[in-house]
Amino acid sequence: MTTLVLEIEDTKPVSAQCDDTHLHVELADGREVSTPLWWYPRLVAASPQARNVIELMPMGLHWPEIDEDISIASMIRGQKAPGSTPT
């Protein structure tokens, strides 16, 4: 079994945005991570304006208007939110 080890400083988000289909995050080490919005039912259900009010946290993202939190580690692991279905 392998374990995913993440360096917190390297994976700290420095910018994030949602478009119509994906969540895009730039990390402190220069990587960009994108995941489909359908992985996150609360983001899909929210307005485009609410989706782009994002607070950057040391280990993830927070949407205050939606009450949603997503960790960078879960994005990298490919972990979908419960109840997510492809659109």
Side-chain angles (χ1 to χ4, degrees):
M1 171 187 247
T2 61
T3 302
L4 178 62
V5 177
L6 299 175
E7 294 294 328
I8 292 174
E9 283 304 310
D10 291 344
T11 60
K12 182 178 177 182
V14 295
S15 70
Q17 67 170 347
C18 295
D19 61 24
D20 291 339
T21 60
H22 286 80
L23 165 60
H24 306 278
V25 181
E26 182 181 351
L27 305 178
D29 66 3
R31 286 182 288 171
E32 295 181 10
V33 179
S34 295
T35 53
L37 277 184
W38 69 262
W39 284 16
Y40 316 108
R42 287 183 182 180
L43 293 184
V44 169
S47 71
Q49 294 81 12
R51 278 197 297 259
N52 281 302
V53 177
I54 306 168
E55 294 177 358
L56 305 177
M57 310 301 271
M59 296 183 356
L61 309 166
H62 174 69
W63 285 262
E65 295 182 23
I66 304 169
D67 192 27
E68 178 71 297
D69 297 288
I70 299 173
S71 73
I72 299 303
S74 69
M75 292 179 71
I76 292 171
R77 282 193 312 266
Q79 182 177 356
K80 300 168 192 68
S84 61
T85 56
T87 56

